[in-house]
mmCIF file of all heavy atoms in Angstrom:
data_model
loop_
_atom_site.group_PDB
_atom_site.id
_atom_site.type_symbol
_atom_site.label_atom_id
_atom_site.label_comp_id
_atom_site.label_asym_id
_atom_site.label_seq_id
_atom_site.Cartn_x
_atom_site.Cartn_y
_atom_site.Cartn_z
ATOM 1 N N MET A 69 -17.650 3.659 3.917
ATOM 2 C CA MET A 69 -16.471 2.834 4.467
ATOM 3 C C MET A 69 -15.865 2.135 3.333
ATOM 4 O O MET A 69 -16.512 1.292 2.621
ATOM 5 C CB MET A 69 -17.048 1.903 5.519
ATOM 6 C CG MET A 69 -16.016 1.186 6.323
ATOM 7 S SD MET A 69 -16.646 0.305 7.682
ATOM 8 C CE MET A 69 -17.291 -1.097 6.979
ATOM 9 N N THR A 70 -14.582 2.276 3.168
ATOM 10 C CA THR A 70 -13.836 1.590 2.152
ATOM 11 C C THR A 70 -13.370 0.238 2.566
ATOM 12 O O THR A 70 -13.073 0.067 3.801
ATOM 13 C CB THR A 70 -12.623 2.405 1.638
ATOM 14 O OG1 THR A 70 -11.891 2.833 2.769
ATOM 15 C CG2 THR A 70 -13.041 3.552 0.795
ATOM 16 N N LYS A 71 -13.243 -0.619 1.669
ATOM 17 C CA LYS A 71 -12.794 -2.048 1.976
ATOM 18 C C LYS A 71 -11.559 -2.373 1.246
ATOM 19 O O LYS A 71 -11.359 -1.824 0.109
ATOM 20 C CB LYS A 71 -13.932 -3.010 1.701
ATOM 21 C CG LYS A 71 -15.107 -2.851 2.613
ATOM 22 C CD LYS A 71 -15.256 -4.041 3.522
ATOM 23 C CE LYS A 71 -16.408 -3.857 4.429
ATOM 24 N NZ LYS A 71 -16.368 -4.929 5.492
ATOM 25 N N LYS A 72 -10.713 -3.230 1.747
ATOM 26 C CA LYS A 72 -9.616 -3.763 1.036
ATOM 27 C C LYS A 72 -9.389 -5.176 1.180
ATOM 28 O O LYS A 72 -10.026 -5.808 2.130
ATOM 29 C CB LYS A 72 -8.289 -2.981 1.521
ATOM 30 C CG LYS A 72 -7.976 -3.355 3.027
ATOM 31 C CD LYS A 72 -6.724 -2.565 3.391
ATOM 32 C CE LYS A 72 -6.572 -2.778 4.881
ATOM 33 N NZ LYS A 72 -5.456 -1.829 5.391
ATOM 34 N N GLU A 73 -8.798 -5.758 0.236
ATOM 35 C CA GLU A 73 -8.692 -7.283 0.252
ATOM 36 C C GLU A 73 -7.526 -7.635 0.983
ATOM 37 O O GLU A 73 -6.369 -7.212 0.682
ATOM 38 C CB GLU A 73 -8.715 -7.822 -1.259
ATOM 39 C CG GLU A 73 -8.963 -9.335 -1.275
ATOM 40 C CD GLU A 73 -8.973 -9.712 -2.689
ATOM 41 O OE1 GLU A 73 -10.047 -9.723 -3.283
ATOM 42 O OE2 GLU A 73 -7.939 -10.208 -3.165
ATOM 43 N N CYS A 74 -7.640 -8.651 1.880
ATOM 44 C CA CYS A 74 -6.468 -9.194 2.556
ATOM 45 C C CYS A 74 -5.654 -10.052 1.622
ATOM 46 O O CYS A 74 -6.263 -10.925 1.058
ATOM 47 C CB CYS A 74 -6.948 -9.913 3.758
ATOM 48 S SG CYS A 74 -5.584 -10.814 4.597
ATOM 49 N N PRO A 75 -4.307 -9.731 1.470
ATOM 50 C CA PRO A 75 -3.510 -10.551 0.544
ATOM 51 C C PRO A 75 -3.300 -11.952 1.150
ATOM 52 O O PRO A 75 -2.849 -12.749 0.297
ATOM 53 C CB PRO A 75 -2.251 -9.819 0.532
ATOM 54 C CG PRO A 75 -2.205 -8.917 1.710
ATOM 55 C CD PRO A 75 -3.610 -8.678 2.113
ATOM 56 N N SER A 76 -3.536 -12.191 2.344
ATOM 57 C CA SER A 76 -3.239 -13.483 2.999
ATOM 58 C C SER A 76 -4.468 -14.423 2.796
ATOM 59 O O SER A 76 -4.286 -15.539 2.390
ATOM 60 C CB SER A 76 -2.905 -13.281 4.463
ATOM 61 O OG SER A 76 -2.598 -14.509 5.084
ATOM 62 N N CYS A 77 -5.651 -13.947 3.167
ATOM 63 C CA CYS A 77 -6.855 -14.773 3.137
ATOM 64 C C CYS A 77 -7.880 -14.355 2.110
ATOM 65 O O CYS A 77 -8.959 -15.057 2.036
ATOM 66 C CB CYS A 77 -7.404 -14.959 4.520
ATOM 67 S SG CYS A 77 -8.079 -13.354 5.102
ATOM 68 N N ALA A 78 -7.649 -13.294 1.430
ATOM 69 C CA ALA A 78 -8.485 -12.820 0.312
ATOM 70 C C ALA A 78 -9.881 -12.327 0.870
ATOM 71 O O ALA A 78 -10.820 -12.362 0.005
ATOM 72 C CB ALA A 78 -8.517 -13.805 -0.805
ATOM 73 N N MET A 79 -9.995 -12.082 2.096
ATOM 74 C CA MET A 79 -11.271 -11.589 2.688
ATOM 75 C C MET A 79 -11.332 -10.088 2.579
ATOM 76 O O MET A 79 -10.253 -9.429 2.727
ATOM 77 C CB MET A 79 -11.421 -12.083 4.129
ATOM 78 C CG MET A 79 -11.708 -13.558 4.195
ATOM 79 S SD MET A 79 -13.279 -14.071 3.485
ATOM 80 C CE MET A 79 -14.357 -13.318 4.640
ATOM 81 N N GLU A 80 -12.492 -9.400 2.491
ATOM 82 C CA GLU A 80 -12.643 -8.030 2.445
ATOM 83 C C GLU A 80 -12.671 -7.456 3.956
ATOM 84 O O GLU A 80 -13.454 -7.859 4.729
ATOM 85 C CB GLU A 80 -13.907 -7.566 1.788
ATOM 86 C CG GLU A 80 -13.870 -7.912 0.227
ATOM 87 C CD GLU A 80 -14.203 -6.719 -0.626
ATOM 88 O OE1 GLU A 80 -15.215 -6.143 -0.358
ATOM 89 O OE2 GLU A 80 -13.438 -6.421 -1.493
ATOM 90 N N VAL A 81 -11.693 -6.546 4.203
ATOM 91 C CA VAL A 81 -11.682 -6.020 5.575
ATOM 92 C C VAL A 81 -11.701 -4.556 5.468
ATOM 93 O O VAL A 81 -11.431 -3.919 4.485
ATOM 94 C CB VAL A 81 -10.355 -6.472 6.339
ATOM 95 C CG1 VAL A 81 -10.373 -7.965 6.588
ATOM 96 C CG2 VAL A 81 -9.126 -6.119 5.570
ATOM 97 N N ASP A 82 -12.032 -3.896 6.555
ATOM 98 C CA ASP A 82 -11.998 -2.416 6.707
ATOM 99 C C ASP A 82 -10.691 -1.850 6.297
ATOM 100 O O ASP A 82 -9.637 -2.349 6.750
ATOM 101 C CB ASP A 82 -12.395 -1.957 8.170
ATOM 102 C CG ASP A 82 -12.838 -0.508 8.164
ATOM 103 O OD1 ASP A 82 -12.218 0.274 7.544
ATOM 104 O OD2 ASP A 82 -13.895 -0.314 8.860
ATOM 105 N N ASP A 83 -10.690 -0.799 5.525
ATOM 106 C CA ASP A 83 -9.500 -0.152 5.008
ATOM 107 C C ASP A 83 -8.720 0.386 6.088
ATOM 108 O O ASP A 83 -7.454 0.544 5.951
ATOM 109 C CB ASP A 83 -9.856 0.891 3.992
ATOM 110 C CG ASP A 83 -8.660 1.348 3.118
ATOM 111 O OD1 ASP A 83 -7.797 0.460 2.813
ATOM 112 O OD2 ASP A 83 -8.547 2.495 2.858
ATOM 113 N N ARG A 84 -9.336 0.834 7.161
ATOM 114 C CA ARG A 84 -8.686 1.408 8.354
ATOM 115 C C ARG A 84 -8.002 0.438 9.259
ATOM 116 O O ARG A 84 -7.203 0.795 10.149
ATOM 117 C CB ARG A 84 -9.604 2.389 9.065
ATOM 118 C CG ARG A 84 -10.012 3.597 8.345
ATOM 119 C CD ARG A 84 -11.211 4.282 8.976
ATOM 120 N NE ARG A 84 -12.274 3.394 9.014
ATOM 121 C CZ ARG A 84 -13.496 3.706 9.585
ATOM 122 N NH1 ARG A 84 -13.606 4.851 10.100
ATOM 123 N NH2 ARG A 84 -14.498 2.822 9.604
ATOM 124 N N ASP A 85 -8.333 -0.805 9.131
ATOM 125 C CA ASP A 85 -7.826 -1.887 9.934
ATOM 126 C C ASP A 85 -6.284 -2.086 9.639
ATOM 127 O O ASP A 85 -5.938 -2.059 8.530
ATOM 128 C CB ASP A 85 -8.528 -3.138 9.720
ATOM 129 C CG ASP A 85 -9.760 -3.233 10.511
ATOM 130 O OD1 ASP A 85 -10.069 -2.299 11.323
ATOM 131 O OD2 ASP A 85 -10.458 -4.306 10.405
ATOM 132 N N HIS A 86 -5.536 -2.202 10.683
ATOM 133 C CA HIS A 86 -4.070 -2.460 10.528
ATOM 134 C C HIS A 86 -3.843 -3.907 10.544
ATOM 135 O O HIS A 86 -2.720 -4.342 10.156
ATOM 136 C CB HIS A 86 -3.354 -1.753 11.609
ATOM 137 C CG HIS A 86 -3.400 -0.227 11.517
ATOM 138 N ND1 HIS A 86 -2.850 0.480 10.409
ATOM 139 C CD2 HIS A 86 -3.930 0.723 12.346
ATOM 140 C CE1 HIS A 86 -3.062 1.726 10.556
ATOM 141 N NE2 HIS A 86 -3.763 1.845 11.683
ATOM 142 N N HIS A 87 -4.736 -4.708 11.109
ATOM 143 C CA HIS A 87 -4.653 -6.135 11.033
ATOM 144 C C HIS A 87 -5.801 -6.820 10.470
ATOM 145 O O HIS A 87 -6.993 -6.332 10.743
ATOM 146 C CB HIS A 87 -4.424 -6.708 12.510
ATOM 147 C CG HIS A 87 -3.105 -6.333 13.248
ATOM 148 N ND1 HIS A 87 -2.949 -5.115 13.814
ATOM 149 C CD2 HIS A 87 -1.961 -6.890 13.171
ATOM 150 C CE1 HIS A 87 -1.676 -5.055 14.248
ATOM 151 N NE2 HIS A 87 -1.109 -6.129 13.899
ATOM 152 N N CYS A 88 -5.690 -7.819 9.768
ATOM 153 C CA CYS A 88 -6.866 -8.586 9.241
ATOM 154 C C CYS A 88 -7.571 -9.347 10.433
ATOM 155 O O CYS A 88 -6.935 -10.039 11.197
ATOM 156 C CB CYS A 88 -6.387 -9.644 8.261
ATOM 157 S SG CYS A 88 -7.693 -10.686 7.617
ATOM 158 N N PRO A 89 -8.879 -9.017 10.679
ATOM 159 C CA PRO A 89 -9.574 -9.694 11.740
ATOM 160 C C PRO A 89 -9.772 -11.163 11.559
ATOM 161 O O PRO A 89 -10.084 -11.822 12.509
ATOM 162 C CB PRO A 89 -10.928 -8.925 11.868
ATOM 163 C CG PRO A 89 -11.093 -8.328 10.434
ATOM 164 C CD PRO A 89 -9.693 -8.149 9.852
ATOM 165 N N ILE A 90 -9.649 -11.719 10.474
ATOM 166 C CA ILE A 90 -9.801 -13.021 10.152
ATOM 167 C C ILE A 90 -8.576 -13.874 10.356
ATOM 168 O O ILE A 90 -8.609 -14.838 11.179
ATOM 169 C CB ILE A 90 -10.446 -13.261 8.734
ATOM 170 C CG1 ILE A 90 -11.770 -12.626 8.568
ATOM 171 C CG2 ILE A 90 -10.513 -14.786 8.338
ATOM 172 C CD1 ILE A 90 -11.927 -11.405 7.761
ATOM 173 N N CYS A 91 -7.426 -13.454 9.662
ATOM 174 C CA CYS A 91 -6.279 -14.277 9.739
ATOM 175 C C CYS A 91 -5.124 -13.669 10.487
ATOM 176 O O CYS A 91 -4.038 -14.165 10.790
ATOM 177 C CB CYS A 91 -5.755 -14.703 8.322
ATOM 178 S SG CYS A 91 -5.241 -13.204 7.416
ATOM 179 N N GLY A 92 -5.283 -12.306 10.884
ATOM 180 C CA GLY A 92 -4.339 -11.673 11.615
ATOM 181 C C GLY A 92 -3.223 -11.046 10.776
ATOM 182 O O GLY A 92 -2.196 -10.661 11.337
ATOM 183 N N TYR A 93 -3.322 -11.020 9.443
ATOM 184 C CA TYR A 93 -2.381 -10.468 8.632
ATOM 185 C C TYR A 93 -2.148 -8.949 8.889
ATOM 186 O O TYR A 93 -3.137 -8.192 9.143
ATOM 187 C CB TYR A 93 -2.793 -10.610 7.250
ATOM 188 C CG TYR A 93 -1.730 -10.104 6.173
ATOM 189 C CD1 TYR A 93 -0.725 -10.869 5.725
ATOM 190 C CD2 TYR A 93 -1.895 -8.780 5.664
ATOM 191 C CE1 TYR A 93 0.154 -10.450 4.805
ATOM 192 C CE2 TYR A 93 -0.938 -8.312 4.751
ATOM 193 C CZ TYR A 93 0.029 -9.066 4.305
ATOM 194 O OH TYR A 93 0.921 -8.549 3.421
ATOM 195 N N GLU A 94 -0.822 -8.559 8.999
ATOM 196 C CA GLU A 94 -0.535 -7.168 9.322
ATOM 197 C C GLU A 94 -0.407 -6.395 7.964
ATOM 198 O O GLU A 94 0.439 -6.598 7.128
ATOM 199 C CB GLU A 94 0.677 -7.141 10.045
ATOM 200 C CG GLU A 94 0.925 -5.811 10.768
ATOM 201 C CD GLU A 94 2.070 -5.724 11.682
ATOM 202 O OE1 GLU A 94 2.505 -6.815 12.209
ATOM 203 O OE2 GLU A 94 2.613 -4.620 11.894
ATOM 204 N N PHE A 95 -1.249 -5.314 7.904
ATOM 205 C CA PHE A 95 -1.128 -4.441 6.742
ATOM 206 C C PHE A 95 -0.133 -3.354 7.075
ATOM 207 O O PHE A 95 -0.261 -2.628 8.074
ATOM 208 C CB PHE A 95 -2.521 -3.767 6.393
ATOM 209 C CG PHE A 95 -3.584 -4.671 6.200
ATOM 210 C CD1 PHE A 95 -4.661 -4.872 7.052
ATOM 211 C CD2 PHE A 95 -3.590 -5.497 5.069
ATOM 212 C CE1 PHE A 95 -5.620 -5.866 6.901
ATOM 213 C CE2 PHE A 95 -4.584 -6.391 4.838
ATOM 214 C CZ PHE A 95 -5.631 -6.610 5.612
ATOM 215 N N THR A 96 0.960 -3.211 6.219
ATOM 216 C CA THR A 96 1.950 -2.288 6.503
ATOM 217 C C THR A 96 1.780 -0.946 5.670
ATOM 218 O O THR A 96 1.993 -1.078 4.480
ATOM 219 C CB THR A 96 3.387 -2.868 6.313
ATOM 220 O OG1 THR A 96 3.303 -3.590 5.028
ATOM 221 C CG2 THR A 96 3.691 -3.865 7.342
ATOM 222 N N ASP A 97 1.444 0.066 6.298
ATOM 223 C CA ASP A 97 1.239 1.310 5.642
ATOM 224 C C ASP A 97 2.578 1.869 5.115
ATOM 225 O O ASP A 97 2.743 2.634 4.199
ATOM 226 C CB ASP A 97 0.626 2.406 6.480
ATOM 227 C CG ASP A 97 -0.813 2.041 6.751
ATOM 228 O OD1 ASP A 97 -1.439 1.371 5.966
ATOM 229 O OD2 ASP A 97 -1.419 2.446 7.827
ATOM 230 N N THR A 98 3.706 1.548 5.911
ATOM 231 C CA THR A 98 5.020 1.975 5.519
ATOM 232 C C THR A 98 5.452 1.466 4.159
ATOM 233 O O THR A 98 6.116 2.098 3.381
ATOM 234 C CB THR A 98 6.045 1.522 6.563
ATOM 235 O OG1 THR A 98 5.836 0.308 6.875
ATOM 236 C CG2 THR A 98 5.987 2.435 7.793
ATOM 237 N N HIS A 99 4.975 0.250 3.827
ATOM 238 C CA HIS A 99 5.304 -0.380 2.548
ATOM 239 C C HIS A 99 4.652 0.436 1.463
ATOM 240 O O HIS A 99 5.216 0.644 0.405
ATOM 241 C CB HIS A 99 4.790 -1.851 2.564
ATOM 242 C CG HIS A 99 5.124 -2.528 1.246
ATOM 243 N ND1 HIS A 99 6.384 -2.856 0.860
ATOM 244 C CD2 HIS A 99 4.272 -2.888 0.319
ATOM 245 C CE1 HIS A 99 6.317 -3.465 -0.266
ATOM 246 N NE2 HIS A 99 5.045 -3.533 -0.646
ATOM 247 N N ASN A 100 3.373 0.821 1.638
ATOM 248 C CA ASN A 100 2.626 1.630 0.699
ATOM 249 C C ASN A 100 3.343 3.013 0.398
ATOM 250 O O ASN A 100 3.463 3.390 -0.628
ATOM 251 C CB ASN A 100 1.194 1.881 1.183
ATOM 252 C CG ASN A 100 0.391 0.628 1.097
ATOM 253 O OD1 ASN A 100 0.679 -0.304 0.278
ATOM 254 N ND2 ASN A 100 -0.768 0.564 1.835
ATOM 255 N N SER A 101 3.741 3.737 1.635
ATOM 256 C CA SER A 101 4.396 5.016 1.383
ATOM 257 C C SER A 101 5.667 4.863 0.727
ATOM 258 O O SER A 101 6.144 5.698 -0.108
ATOM 259 C CB SER A 101 4.528 5.718 2.639
ATOM 260 O OG SER A 101 5.354 4.933 3.579
ATOM 261 N N TRP A 102 6.371 3.726 0.991
ATOM 262 C CA TRP A 102 7.743 3.503 0.330
ATOM 263 C C TRP A 102 7.482 3.394 -1.207
ATOM 264 O O TRP A 102 8.254 3.965 -1.987
ATOM 265 C CB TRP A 102 8.248 2.178 0.933
ATOM 266 C CG TRP A 102 9.597 1.766 0.229
ATOM 267 C CD1 TRP A 102 10.796 2.260 0.602
ATOM 268 C CD2 TRP A 102 9.783 0.831 -0.809
ATOM 269 N NE1 TRP A 102 11.811 1.694 -0.259
ATOM 270 C CE2 TRP A 102 11.165 0.747 -1.059
ATOM 271 C CE3 TRP A 102 8.939 -0.060 -1.511
ATOM 272 C CZ2 TRP A 102 11.703 -0.040 -2.008
ATOM 273 C CZ3 TRP A 102 9.503 -0.870 -2.379
ATOM 274 C CH2 TRP A 102 10.811 -0.863 -2.647
ATOM 275 N N LEU A 103 6.450 2.592 -1.622
ATOM 276 C CA LEU A 103 6.137 2.424 -3.011
ATOM 277 C C LEU A 103 5.807 3.764 -3.666
ATOM 278 O O LEU A 103 6.141 4.024 -4.813
ATOM 279 C CB LEU A 103 4.907 1.535 -3.250
ATOM 280 C CG LEU A 103 5.314 0.048 -3.228
ATOM 281 C CD1 LEU A 103 4.007 -0.772 -3.291
ATOM 282 C CD2 LEU A 103 6.195 -0.333 -4.486
ATOM 283 N N LYS A 104 5.144 4.648 -2.900
ATOM 284 C CA LYS A 104 4.732 5.949 -3.400
ATOM 285 C C LYS A 104 6.023 6.854 -3.678
ATOM 286 O O LYS A 104 6.041 7.466 -4.692
ATOM 287 C CB LYS A 104 3.882 6.662 -2.386
ATOM 288 C CG LYS A 104 2.434 6.773 -2.809
ATOM 289 C CD LYS A 104 1.582 7.452 -1.633
ATOM 290 C CE LYS A 104 0.542 6.582 -1.170
ATOM 291 N NZ LYS A 104 -0.173 7.142 0.037
ATOM 292 N N TRP A 105 6.959 6.719 -2.826
ATOM 293 C CA TRP A 105 8.133 7.472 -2.947
ATOM 294 C C TRP A 105 9.038 6.964 -4.196
ATOM 295 O O TRP A 105 9.558 7.757 -4.954
ATOM 296 C CB TRP A 105 9.041 7.425 -1.764
ATOM 297 C CG TRP A 105 8.643 8.472 -0.754
ATOM 298 C CD1 TRP A 105 7.984 8.243 0.570
ATOM 299 C CD2 TRP A 105 8.793 9.862 -0.776
ATOM 300 N NE1 TRP A 105 7.724 9.325 1.103
ATOM 301 C CE2 TRP A 105 8.237 10.422 0.334
ATOM 302 C CE3 TRP A 105 9.318 10.702 -1.723
ATOM 303 C CZ2 TRP A 105 8.182 11.778 0.583
ATOM 304 C CZ3 TRP A 105 9.235 12.112 -1.536
ATOM 305 C CH2 TRP A 105 8.691 12.556 -0.348
ATOM 306 N N VAL A 106 9.032 5.643 -4.285
ATOM 307 C CA VAL A 106 9.680 5.084 -5.484
ATOM 308 C C VAL A 106 9.063 5.490 -6.852
ATOM 309 O O VAL A 106 9.740 5.893 -7.813
ATOM 310 C CB VAL A 106 9.812 3.560 -5.370
ATOM 311 C CG1 VAL A 106 10.321 2.956 -6.664
ATOM 312 C CG2 VAL A 106 10.626 3.088 -4.182
ATOM 313 N N ALA A 107 7.695 5.472 -6.845
ATOM 314 C CA ALA A 107 6.927 5.833 -7.969
ATOM 315 C C ALA A 107 7.206 7.339 -8.370
ATOM 316 O O ALA A 107 7.353 7.690 -9.497
ATOM 317 C CB ALA A 107 5.445 5.596 -7.740
ATOM 318 N N LEU A 108 7.254 8.175 -7.274
ATOM 319 C CA LEU A 108 7.557 9.622 -7.385
ATOM 320 C C LEU A 108 8.914 9.893 -8.041
ATOM 321 O O LEU A 108 9.111 10.628 -8.941
ATOM 322 C CB LEU A 108 7.347 10.298 -6.081
ATOM 323 C CG LEU A 108 7.271 11.834 -6.028
ATOM 324 C CD1 LEU A 108 5.779 12.199 -6.591
ATOM 325 C CD2 LEU A 108 7.494 12.390 -4.719
ATOM 326 N N LEU A 109 9.890 9.059 -7.455
ATOM 327 C CA LEU A 109 11.310 9.198 -7.891
ATOM 328 C C LEU A 109 11.422 8.822 -9.321
ATOM 329 O O LEU A 109 12.087 9.486 -10.205
ATOM 330 C CB LEU A 109 12.120 8.337 -7.059
ATOM 331 C CG LEU A 109 13.549 8.801 -6.810
ATOM 332 C CD1 LEU A 109 13.651 10.044 -5.934
ATOM 333 C CD2 LEU A 109 14.399 7.729 -6.185
ATOM 334 N N LEU A 110 10.770 7.676 -9.703
ATOM 335 C CA LEU A 110 10.865 7.237 -11.086
ATOM 336 C C LEU A 110 10.217 8.205 -12.077
ATOM 337 O O LEU A 110 10.634 8.474 -13.144
ATOM 338 C CB LEU A 110 10.067 5.910 -11.166
ATOM 339 C CG LEU A 110 10.910 4.650 -10.688
ATOM 340 C CD1 LEU A 110 10.134 3.429 -10.637
ATOM 341 C CD2 LEU A 110 12.174 4.422 -11.564
ATOM 342 N N ALA A 111 9.063 8.826 -11.584
ATOM 343 C CA ALA A 111 8.390 9.787 -12.381
ATOM 344 C C ALA A 111 9.366 11.090 -12.656
ATOM 345 O O ALA A 111 9.386 11.615 -13.724
ATOM 346 C CB ALA A 111 7.060 10.248 -11.711
ATOM 347 N N LEU A 112 9.994 11.459 -11.555
ATOM 348 C CA LEU A 112 10.867 12.628 -11.649
ATOM 349 C C LEU A 112 12.099 12.314 -12.679
ATOM 350 O O LEU A 112 12.419 13.060 -13.529
ATOM 351 C CB LEU A 112 11.521 12.913 -10.302
ATOM 352 C CG LEU A 112 10.657 13.856 -9.519
ATOM 353 C CD1 LEU A 112 11.196 13.968 -8.056
ATOM 354 C CD2 LEU A 112 10.603 15.189 -10.082
ATOM 355 N N LEU A 113 12.668 11.101 -12.554
ATOM 356 C CA LEU A 113 13.730 10.603 -13.447
ATOM 357 C C LEU A 113 13.239 10.591 -14.844
ATOM 358 O O LEU A 113 13.941 11.048 -15.769
ATOM 359 C CB LEU A 113 14.186 9.259 -12.988
ATOM 360 C CG LEU A 113 15.127 9.248 -11.815
ATOM 361 C CD1 LEU A 113 15.399 7.821 -11.352
ATOM 362 C CD2 LEU A 113 16.559 9.837 -12.123
ATOM 363 N N PHE A 114 12.119 10.078 -15.066
ATOM 364 C CA PHE A 114 11.398 9.973 -16.351
ATOM 365 C C PHE A 114 11.336 11.404 -16.942
ATOM 366 O O PHE A 114 11.630 11.617 -18.166
ATOM 367 C CB PHE A 114 10.097 9.352 -16.251
ATOM 368 C CG PHE A 114 9.500 9.120 -17.536
ATOM 369 C CD1 PHE A 114 9.855 8.220 -18.414
ATOM 370 C CD2 PHE A 114 8.300 9.943 -17.924
ATOM 371 C CE1 PHE A 114 9.254 8.023 -19.672
ATOM 372 C CE2 PHE A 114 7.644 9.708 -19.084
ATOM 373 C CZ PHE A 114 8.152 8.768 -20.028
ATOM 374 N N LEU A 115 10.825 12.363 -16.179
ATOM 375 C CA LEU A 115 10.698 13.746 -16.652
ATOM 376 C C LEU A 115 12.033 14.388 -16.973
ATOM 377 O O LEU A 115 12.132 15.168 -18.002
ATOM 378 C CB LEU A 115 10.006 14.578 -15.630
ATOM 379 C CG LEU A 115 8.496 14.374 -15.430
ATOM 380 C CD1 LEU A 115 7.965 14.963 -14.179
ATOM 381 C CD2 LEU A 115 7.682 14.885 -16.709
ATOM 382 N N LEU A 116 13.034 14.036 -16.242
ATOM 383 C CA LEU A 116 14.394 14.676 -16.419
ATOM 384 C C LEU A 116 15.099 14.146 -17.730
ATOM 385 O O LEU A 116 15.740 14.799 -18.361
ATOM 386 C CB LEU A 116 15.364 14.266 -15.204
ATOM 387 C CG LEU A 116 15.111 15.107 -14.017
ATOM 388 C CD1 LEU A 116 15.913 14.454 -12.779
ATOM 389 C CD2 LEU A 116 15.591 16.611 -14.155
ATOM 390 N N TYR A 117 14.709 12.873 -18.110
ATOM 391 C CA TYR A 117 15.355 12.364 -19.252
ATOM 392 C C TYR A 117 14.506 12.476 -20.570
ATOM 393 O O TYR A 117 14.869 12.034 -21.589
ATOM 394 C CB TYR A 117 15.609 10.799 -19.074
ATOM 395 C CG TYR A 117 16.844 10.588 -18.255
ATOM 396 C CD1 TYR A 117 16.764 10.212 -16.857
ATOM 397 C CD2 TYR A 117 18.123 10.703 -18.809
ATOM 398 C CE1 TYR A 117 17.880 10.010 -16.142
ATOM 399 C CE2 TYR A 117 19.212 10.452 -18.003
ATOM 400 C CZ TYR A 117 19.100 10.235 -16.694
ATOM 401 O OH TYR A 117 20.158 10.003 -15.922
ATOM 402 N N LEU A 118 13.494 13.275 -20.430
ATOM 403 C CA LEU A 118 12.638 13.549 -21.628
ATOM 404 C C LEU A 118 13.326 14.536 -22.485
ATOM 405 O O LEU A 118 13.914 15.533 -22.069
ATOM 406 C CB LEU A 118 11.211 14.158 -21.224
ATOM 407 C CG LEU A 118 10.137 13.087 -21.039
ATOM 408 C CD1 LEU A 118 8.903 13.841 -20.512
ATOM 409 C CD2 LEU A 118 9.891 12.381 -22.221
HETATM 410 ZN ZN1 ZN B 459 -6.696 -12.061 6.199
#
């Protein structure tokens, strides 16, 4: 079972949890995938300009 740290209360919670059981902070998966796409796009641009 993987754990992640809650950015709101800094407690370790289950990675599959969508809400922090301690403070109720909402983990947004969409934000993570958005970052992944930006990283991918930047990597592609970087390769094109080499
Ligand atoms: Zn929390």
Side-chain angles (χ1 to χ4, degrees):
M69 190 169 78
T70 48
K71 294 254 180 182
K72 61 184 172 189
E73 193 178 277
C74 173
S76 182
C77 64
M79 289 294 291
E80 295 232 307
V81 296
D82 196 317
D83 194 40
R84 291 167 298 179
D85 275 356
H86 294 296
H87 291 86
C88 174
I90 295 106
C91 69
Y93 180 86
E94 194 175 334
F95 303 110
T96 46
D97 289 337
T98 46
H99 181 69
N100 285 340
S101 58
W102 178 81
L103 276 176
K104 250 179 242 173
W105 277 109
V106 171
L108 195 77
L109 209 71
L110 283 172
L112 274 170
L113 281 170
F114 182 73
L115 285 169
L116 283 170
Y117 281 103
L118 272 176

